Amino acid sequence: MNPYRVLAAVAADWGRLGPYLRRGTEGTAGAEDAAGILNGLSSALRSLRSMERHAPGRTAAAGETARFVLALLPPAEAERLVAAHSGRLAGTVTEEETYAGFTAADLAFLLLDDNPMVGPLLGPVRERLLSYPMLDDWAAEAHARTPGLIRLRGESGGPASGARGVDRIPSFQFSDAATPWPVVVTVNGLLDAARDPWGAADWWLSANGYLGVAPAELLGGGQDGQLTGTARYLVEGE
């Protein structure tokens, strides 16, 4: 079995298979063991994504993670995945760790961080958004309960490192380290950033055809009314 491709294939079919990994009630191990397996899967996924690509023991960690996943899936689904990805690791790491553009890391984003920005289309968007300046750990802790802010669930230390999911707060939202722009809080509310922080961040940080620039570039320039109106039109005017 190629454990990396098994994990990637589950990420690629998350809409259908994801509920089994969250409920843990219909797998091959039985309901009585589900809670322990769910905890084991979370721990194994954290350990796996904390390892460098060529770290000793990484393939064994991937195998352990895949076994937890298979135990939580219905028997027919588990057998299908094993049969489809039964080959041994022999070729290049990049090719053999990927399935339909998804990777094992995408499964960690989905399950551990509840982060939907995965796969060949949304994964690059996630990495682009996480590449923008973020509050440092001290400032992020100070604003842990500040309402109206975009919080992007990512891995500690950046989009490609770390074993623990953390909330990362884009710094464009602040006029200084302590004070959010009032218009940012207003627009984030219009965009429902609490429900869809990635969509809200993408709106602020991507070029806007109506405004001519990324909305974040207009902060502090006396364009608050235009920013609010543009966001309101997006939500209400279509």
Side-chain angles (χ1 to χ4, degrees):
M1 177 182 70
N2 182 327
Y4 300 108
R5 285 178 64 87
V6 167
L7 298 173
V10 173
D13 201 7
W14 182 250
R16 195 172 63 84
L17 299 180
Y20 297 118
L21 303 191
R22 293 193 183 281
R23 295 196 305 265
T25 58
E26 301 177 52
T28 60
E32 67 277 7
D33 298 322
I37 295 173
L38 285 168
N39 290 334
L41 173 58
S42 295
S43 177
L45 265 178
R46 290 189 179 95
S47 177
L48 177 61
R49 77 171 178 182
S50 72
M51 294 178 162
E52 297 292 337
R53 173 155 286 179
H54 298 290
R58 183 168 178 265
T59 296
E64 179 186 30
T65 306
R67 285 189 289 275
F68 281 125
V69 167
L70 295 172
L72 291 168
L73 294 176
E77 295 289 355
E79 292 169 8
R80 178 184 63 81
L81 284 167
V82 170
H85 307 291
S86 59
R88 292 178 176 272
L89 294 170
T92 65
V93 172
T94 300
E95 291 176 351
E96 296 210 342
E97 290 193 13
T98 301
Y99 174 80
F102 289 79
T103 67
D106 287 330
L107 183 59
F109 277 112
L110 288 164
L111 185 59
L112 300 180
D113 300 333
D114 198 25
N115 183 342
M117 306 296 284
V118 299
L121 296 179
L122 296 181
V125 177
R126 177 195 73 225
E127 297 206 12
R128 175 176 64 82
L129 294 175
L130 289 175
S131 73
Y132 283 92
M134 303 284 167
L135 296 189
D136 61 26
D137 291 344
W138 180 88
E141 179 66 23
H143 287 286
R145 298 184 181 277
T146 301
L149 296 179
I150 293 168
R151 293 175 170 83
L152 303 179
R153 193 70 171 172
E155 293 172 282
S156 58
S161 64
R164 179 174 59 89
V166 294
D167 285 333
R168 307 182 71 210
I169 302 177
S171 58
F172 77 83
Q173 300 177 100
F174 296 82
S175 58
D176 56 51
T179 310
W181 295 105
V183 69
V184 166
V185 175
T186 299
V187 169
N188 284 348
L190 289 170
L191 299 176
D192 199 5
R195 180 186 63 82
D196 183 16
W198 297 94
D202 193 41
W203 185 86
W204 279 108
L205 297 169
S206 298
N208 184 289
Y210 179 75
L211 297 172
V213 296
E217 295 182 30
L218 299 181
L219 291 170
Q223 303 296 315
D224 290 5
Q226 192 172 15
L227 287 167
T228 302
T230 302
R232 181 171 284 112
Y233 178 77
L234 174 67
V235 175
E236 302 175 356
E238 294 183 347

